[in-house]
Amino acid sequence: MADLIVGIQWGDEGKGKIVDAMAGEYDYVVRYQGGHNAGHTIVINNKKIALHLLPSGILYEHCKNIIGNGVVINLEALLTEMKSFDNLQGRLFISDKAHIILPYHEMLDKAKEKSKDKAAIGTTGKGIGPCYGDKVSRNGVRLMDLHNPTQLKAKIQAIYDQIQYTQSLYDITLPSVESVVEYIESVSHQILPFVTNTTQLLWDAQTKGEKILLEGAQGSMLDIDHGTYPFVTSSTTIAAGACSGSGLAPRDIQRVIGIAKAYCTRVGNGVFPTEEKGAVGEKLREAGKEFGTTTGRSRRCGWFDAVAVRYACRLNGCESLSIMKLDVLDGFSSIKVCVGYEYKGKEIDYIPTDYECVKPIYREFEGWDKTSHIRVFSDLPQAAQYYIKELEHITGTKIAIVSTSPERDDTIRC
């Protein structure tokens, strides 16, 4: 059976720490969607380790790590990350069905964003959307194509025949087919030893009774179907994506563990009902060091949105929640939680499709002095204990883990 860790907000919830904390109990850790636009930061003995494509289980020698078919891969970014680790052979496996982000994907991503001006989505500009676009239009290049250079060149030439018009449309100059093929061929020998049929690998692992942990990227509110469209990512970030992005069946997934911050953040544009644009938002940003692992961009910050979390928990079928970064709320005299919305003259407790029309309804909680580095629930200040218990009640989901610092061991099991 497999367990799944999934983000419940707009990403950056702290999934990496929980995967890292749990990975030691598993034989396989699987990344199943997204690209190098995502990042997980893990802190061990005050040392920060940033992962973008490699699963978080890579930090455990006994773990086998899979980059699944649902991931889109920038070869240069992957190789750079791989160089930070030794002895990856037999520990890292990459799906032969995973799609490759090609140089023109990044160029098109940036050009399209620039052309939208104020309507821009706020992407990382790393080519993720255009690559998924090629995949869905059945026009993509997969890692299995690295085995056949002649076929690879023919595929890329066919793509170029279709997209040549974009050069004048966006005022860009695409790299030549020859240069793209030449680059891929120059690095393919470093990648191919790790490329395999990862779906069959996972099925074999299940037959042997081995334990599998599925690791999501981004967050549920950025899901292509159920997120705040069009300000979303280009993949399925909810639990359903774990099946399509790995080859496992829904019945193979035993536990779904949702990850949410004790407050809320978002990167890029799009609706964010509880955003605080003044001093409160700035205090959360500074205390939480809310700057992107991958891009360094400042994150928008605001109060915990219990309506959105309840919605995402239902979408994913969460068995439990992990509440991260409780310590960031230390020192606030009062803390707010969104428990409903004002919507077209009514009060509602759900997310409407025209989400941009809502205004938050808050419930206020007493603040506390210090939770940082506490590892036992009963040692938390009474106000913090009450806050966690009420979040559990409002979201309708058991809170099983509370994190009180980035450090691996500063984790409360409830």
Side-chain angles (χ1 to χ4, degrees), residues 71-82:
V71 180
V72 290
I73 298 174
N74 178 300
L75 299 181
E76 184 175 0
L78 176 59
L79 286 172
T80 298
E81 200 165 335
M82 288 170 63

Side-chain angles (χ1 to χ4, degrees), residues 131-313:
C131 185
Y132 275 117
D134 278 357
K135 175 179 177 177
V136 173
S137 63
R138 303 176 296 279
N139 207 28
V141 174
R142 299 190 291 179
L143 280 167
M144 63 184 296
D145 295 321
L146 298 184
H147 289 291
N148 190 330
T150 302
Q151 180 177 298
L152 173 68
K153 183 174 182 179
K155 278 195 170 188
I156 295 176
Q157 183 61 62
I159 295 169
Y160 264 56
D161 291 343
Q162 296 180 40
I163 67 169
Q164 286 292 346
Y165 74 94
T166 60
Q167 296 193 100
S168 57
L169 180 63
Y170 293 113
D171 192 25
I172 58 175
T173 302
L174 297 173
S176 68
V177 171
E178 289 73 20
S179 67
V180 173
V181 173
E182 183 179 342
Y183 170 71
I184 294 175
E185 289 182 343
S186 72
V187 300
S188 62
H189 69 284
Q190 300 176 65
I191 300 287
L192 280 173
F194 301 93
V195 175
T196 189
N197 184 334
T198 55
T199 297
Q200 188 62 52
L201 189 63
L202 286 171
W203 289 355
D204 291 343
Q206 287 182 303
T207 300
K208 297 173 186 175
E210 293 179 305
K211 296 180 67 177
I212 300 166
L213 183 63
L214 298 155
E215 172 187 28
Q218 286 100 16
S220 298
M221 299 302 291
L222 294 175
D223 183 79
I224 186 68
D225 285 298
H226 298 285
T228 51
Y229 191 88
F231 299 98
V232 293
T233 194
S234 301
S235 58
T236 301
T237 62
I238 60 174
C243 296
S244 60
S246 68
L248 296 180
R251 68 180 181 181
D252 295 329
I253 297 176
Q254 187 171 19
R255 289 191 301 159
V256 179
I257 301 162
I259 314 295
K261 285 175 180 167
Y263 51 103
C264 199
T265 65
R266 176 166 195 169
V267 173
N269 300 328
V271 60
F272 182 5
T274 63
E275 181 177 11
E276 289 285 332
K277 296 182 179 179
V280 169
E282 188 58 35
K283 184 176 179 179
L284 288 169
R285 185 177 301 110
E286 290 300 320
K289 297 179 174 58
E290 295 296 352
F291 304 94
T293 301
T294 299
T295 64
R297 289 188 296 178
S298 297
R299 296 174 184 145
R300 299 156 63 191
C301 298
W303 298 117
F304 189 92
D305 189 334
V307 183
V309 168
R310 186 169 61 241
Y311 166 79
C313 286

Side-chain angles (χ1 to χ4, degrees), residues 5 16-29 55-60 62-65 211 213 408 413:
I5 289 178
K17 175 177 175 177
I18 298 302
V19 176
D20 172 61
M22 295 178 64
E25 305 167 16
Y26 291 82
D27 301 293
Y28 285 84
V29 178
S56 300
I58 205 72
L59 300 176
Y60 290 87
H62 75 276
C63 272
K64 294 181 175 69
N65 296 269
K211 296 180 67 177
L213 183 63
R408 176 187 277 175
R413 304 262 181 174

Side-chain angles (χ1 to χ4, degrees), residues 29-51:
V29 178
V30 184
R31 168 76 180 276
Y32 59 83
Q33 51 78 219
H36 67 306
N37 59 331
H40 291 155
T41 300
I42 298 166
V43 180
I44 304 172
N45 297 324
N46 290 316
K47 179 183 178 183
K48 282 188 178 182
I49 300 170
L51 301 173

